[in-house]
Amino acid sequence: MEDIRIDFNFISPKIIFGRGKIKDLGQETTSILKHRNLKKFNVFLVSGKESLKKSGYLAKIENVFAKERIILHLYSEVVKEPATTLINKGKNLVLENQCHLVIGIGGGSVMDTAKAIAGLATNGGIVEEYHAGKQFIKPPLPFILVPTTSGTGSELTNNAVIKDEKLGIKKSIRGLWANTALLDPEITLTLPKKYTAYSGADALVQAIESFVSKSANFISDFFAKEAIKLLGENLPKVVDNLKDIDIREKMMLGSLFDALSFSNGKLGAVHGFAHPIGIKHDIAHGLICGTLLPYVMEYNLEVKSAVKKYAWIADTFYTQNVLPGYGNCPKQIPKDNLGKARWVIAKLRDILNYIEIPMHLNEIGIKESDLENIVQDTSGSSLQNNPRDTDRTSLRTILLNAL
């Protein structure tokens, strides 16, 4: 057997995973700050407007923190997008209240907001300066991230994607690794069906894009495969079983594996498109990603390495009997890799349709007249790591096919 060189770098925050682990949040906070020898700790908690309170978890966290002599400063102003004014204001509040640690509990927008606040708190300045090229010199204030969805993977990445409201752009700032990512699948039990579907679609797209990325490597492929197995099988199930903790647990584990994959192996053209579409048309990120995935996969069929990996996904879904008896995907799987790749694209369309992700851009409000502006703003590392190179003509063709 031919020897294959295994070569990779692996980066990740500390990970705490398990049912009921939210109860360990206070203990983890004091563990991170114990070297400060303080009688009490000031913690800045970033969340959405109402979700944490409505779910009952805010009261639970307050009780846990009271036992640990932690003073909580709640910043529950995140709505849809992490925005420059929101983050700059949060940074000022952290400094005014002399907070020692930041916690973000929510979806990707909440966690990206918490990351950016932690970075600005120690490095100074405003988000706009970092969008313009300023770099973080000092480590961020210690921070912990707790996802309430199984999807974005923001808890394990070092970047925060932030919207500049004045310029109408979305850009990343980097160098923001969490001290700890705490994943408790019980928290996701209150997530509505729509957002369960959107975040789950995002996770599955991330796993597939990371798997075929130009930057894919041994370790990213290892996690991508496990993520695809878990998400492909359980995404169609979870939308019909929102209170099933076993399925929720598998979804969160799949989301964790997908984040470990793409944070070390990059993404692709779907995510290249998603940022400009999201900011220009105010459409949920996971919804955009799910709609575009089959069309980008079809575009990538010219690349043999991608076809081979798509064929692996097909074999996996066929063996798992994913979503049997639904949709238009042929019951029998072809024997050749290209046929298998086309088969799994059809299967993914069935899965996405089943969880009520629209199959065409015009169904989510995109018109042909919008395409030129979308293409113009589609760029970045995700696009550069797509397995097949793109240009403005090919990007427009993908969008036209998806329209």
Side-chain angles (χ1 to χ4, degrees):
M1 181 177 177
E2 182 182 356
D3 290 335
I4 299 174
R5 180 178 176 177
I6 298 173
D7 192 358
F8 63 87
N9 295 326
F10 182 72
I11 304 172
S12 172
K14 175 182 176 181
I15 299 169
I16 298 173
F17 184 99
R19 302 179 193 183
K21 288 294 184 179
I22 192 69
K23 71 179 185 301
D24 296 339
L25 186 57
Q27 182 180 347
E28 183 63 17
T29 299
T30 55
S31 175
I32 292 171
L33 296 175
K34 62 185 177 183
H35 68 283
R36 301 290 296 271
N37 294 319
L38 300 170
K39 291 183 179 180
K40 60 182 180 180
F41 302 121
N42 289 314
V43 169
F44 195 72
L45 175 60
V46 182
S47 75
K49 283 276 188 183
E50 297 289 341
S51 56
L52 196 62
K53 185 177 181 179
K54 286 182 178 179
S55 69
Y57 277 99
L58 179 58
K60 292 179 181 179
I61 291 165
E62 288 173 335
N63 290 335
V64 168
F65 279 9
K67 294 177 183 177
E68 297 285 348
R69 294 173 298 135
I70 297 170
I71 298 172
L72 195 64
H73 301 270
L74 181 62
Y75 191 51
S76 56
E77 298 190 20
V78 183
V79 188
K80 284 188 175 181
E81 302 275 3
T84 50
T85 53
L86 184 70
I87 291 164
N88 293 334
K89 177 184 175 183
K91 181 261 294 188
N92 292 334
L93 290 172
V94 164
L95 296 178
E96 288 172 16
N97 290 289
Q98 298 181 324
C99 292
H100 306 108
L101 182 141
V102 176
I103 297 175
I105 304 181
S109 294
V110 167
M111 291 189 285
D112 280 3
T113 299
K115 287 182 187 182
I117 289 172
L120 292 180
T122 54
N123 286 271
I126 58 176
V127 175
E128 291 86 343
E129 293 173 327
Y130 295 90
H131 273 175
K134 185 177 179 179
Q135 301 293 314
F136 290 122
I137 304 299
K138 301 176 183 177
L141 204 65
F143 67 98
I144 299 170
L145 299 176
V146 184
T148 57
T149 70
S150 297
T152 70
S154 180
E155 68 274 12
L156 295 181
T157 65
N158 77 336
N159 68 304
V161 184
I162 302 165
K163 178 180 179 179
D164 187 317
E165 305 101 317
K166 292 181 181 178
L167 298 180
I169 60 170
K170 228 178 179 183
K171 291 183 71 174
S172 289
I173 56 176
R174 300 182 183 277
L176 301 167
W177 291 106
N179 293 71
T180 305
L182 190 153
L183 295 89
D184 184 342
E186 290 181 354
I187 296 177
T188 66
L189 288 169
T190 57
L191 190 66
K193 179 178 179 178
K194 179 170 73 171
Y195 298 110
T196 296
Y198 290 176
S199 58
D202 188 21
L204 182 57
V205 173
Q206 286 170 168
I208 293 171
E209 287 212 293
S210 176
F211 190 37
V212 299
S213 161
K214 286 179 181 176
S215 294
N217 54 68
F218 175 83
I219 199 71
S220 66
D221 277 3
F222 175 84
F223 285 114
K225 286 180 175 181
E226 295 306 310
I228 289 165
K229 290 176 188 176
L230 285 163
L231 296 167
E233 182 175 8
N234 290 286
L235 180 53
K237 294 178 181 178
V238 73
V239 294
D240 294 328
N241 301 276
L242 297 175
K243 298 298 184 181
D244 189 316
I245 186 58
D246 292 329
I247 297 175
R248 288 287 194 178
E249 184 176 63
K250 290 172 184 174
M251 285 296 298
M252 182 160 269
L253 188 60
S255 176
L256 168 64
F257 287 160
D258 114 64
L260 289 169
S261 178
F262 82 79
S263 62
N264 288 277
K266 308 302 181 184
L267 293 166
V270 173
H271 279 80
F273 284 127
H275 291 312
I277 293 175
I279 196 168
K280 289 178 180 295
H281 300 278
D282 193 26
I283 301 170
H285 178 78
L287 177 59
I288 300 165
C289 290
T291 301
L292 286 175
L293 175 65
Y295 301 98
V296 171
M297 290 179 71
E298 287 172 340
Y299 175 77
N300 290 337
L301 291 178
E302 298 294 324
V303 179
K304 288 184 179 180
S305 60
V307 169
K308 184 177 180 179
K309 287 186 171 182
Y310 291 156
W312 179 90
I313 301 173
D315 286 332
T316 300
F317 283 5
Y318 186 74
T319 301
Q320 290 178 310
N321 200 23
V322 170
L323 199 66
Y326 177 85
N328 299 312
C329 182
K331 291 183 179 180
Q332 294 301 315
I333 190 171
K335 294 183 179 180
D336 63 295
N337 280 351
L338 182 58
K340 289 179 179 180
R342 295 188 185 281
W343 183 92
V344 85
I345 293 170
K347 175 59 71 175
L348 285 162
R349 280 195 166 99
D350 286 347
I351 292 171
L352 294 165
N353 188 33
Y354 188 82
I355 66 170
E356 299 180 8
I357 299 290
M359 291 293 96
H360 299 281
L361 290 174
N362 62 18
E363 297 176 67
I364 57 175
I366 305 299
K367 304 184 295 293
E368 187 171 350
S369 58
D370 298 322
L371 301 189
E372 191 58 39
N373 284 336
I374 294 170
V375 169
Q376 184 176 342
D377 292 340
T378 299
S379 60
S381 64
S382 292
L383 197 63
Q384 293 163 8
N385 280 283
N386 193 67
R388 184 180 175 189
D389 291 338
T390 60
D391 56 24
R392 292 187 62 156
T393 300
S394 59
L395 292 174
R396 182 177 173 81
T397 299
I398 294 170
L399 292 176
L400 277 171
N401 290 338
L403 196 61

